[in-house]
Every structure is written in structure tokens, then in C-alpha cells.
Amino acid sequence: MTSGTPGDCVKMAITAILDEGEKPDLVISGLNHGPNLGIDIIYSGTVNCALEGAMLGYPAIATSLTTMRNNYEDFKVALEKSDNVTFGSVEAWSDN
């Protein structure tokens, strides 16, 4: 059994587990309960995953849902919006 932070998972995957042809084009962290806003980003595992990916040179995004409700519809809408933002960004990056 090993332990570590969510950011450690990103670092281990990119630096030690994945072969060169398996490396990600984009690191996406989340979608999770609760807002990661303001001071919360300092200790957010979700944000830390995206930061770790970015520090390793990969485009990265963290996504969170600003509710603690356990409602499937909330996640469905948030996922659709995240997809639009994320894949729109990927297209913009690839055009440059």
C-alpha cells in the first residue's frame, strides 16, 4: 500500500509509469464536489493535480462543482460545460 496526494498521482504517472507514447495531451483534474475558490486553491487536491501537470509542461485544467449536493443532474450540467471549455481550449492551443 502506498499513499500520496492527488498531485503525486499525476507526477508519478507522467514521470515514472507512462511510456513516452502514453503521455497525456492534457491533464484534467476533477470534477469534484465543492468550490475551489480563493484561499481554497492552496490546499485543493483538485487544483494541485492541474498545477503538477502544468509544472511538468502539460496543459492542465481543474474543474469543481460549487455545490455539496449529491445530485446527478448538477454533475451532468457541469461536465457538459467543462467539456465545452476544455475542448474549446484544446482546439485553440492546437491552432497556435
Side-chain angles (χ1 to χ4, degrees), residues 4 12-13 16 20 23-24 26 29 34 36-37 45-46 53 55 58 63 76-77 79 82 87 93:
M12 289 297 296
E20 202 54 44
K23 302 282 173 99
L26 173 68
S29 178
N36 286 307
L37 303 169
T46 306
M55 288 188 296
Y58 294 87
T63 61
K76 183 178 174 185
V77 170
L79 181 59
S82 294
F87 292 108
W93 289 322

Side-chain angles (χ1 to χ4, degrees), residues 25-76:
D25 295 322
L26 173 68
V27 174
I28 303 173
S29 178
L31 182 67
N32 68 298
H33 276 121
N36 286 307
L37 303 169
I39 197 72
D40 291 347
I41 66 169
I42 292 173
Y43 55 86
S44 165
T46 306
V47 174
N48 192 289
C49 283
L51 286 172
E52 192 66 49
M55 288 188 296
L56 292 170
Y58 294 87
I61 188 169
T63 61
S64 299
L65 186 60
T66 57
T67 183
M68 296 304 286
R69 295 184 321 171
N70 219 0
N71 184 340
Y72 171 77
E73 287 301 314
D74 291 342
F75 279 91
K76 183 178 174 185

Side-chain angles (χ1 to χ4, degrees), residues 11 19 84:
K11 186 172 186 171
D19 291 328
N84 292 341

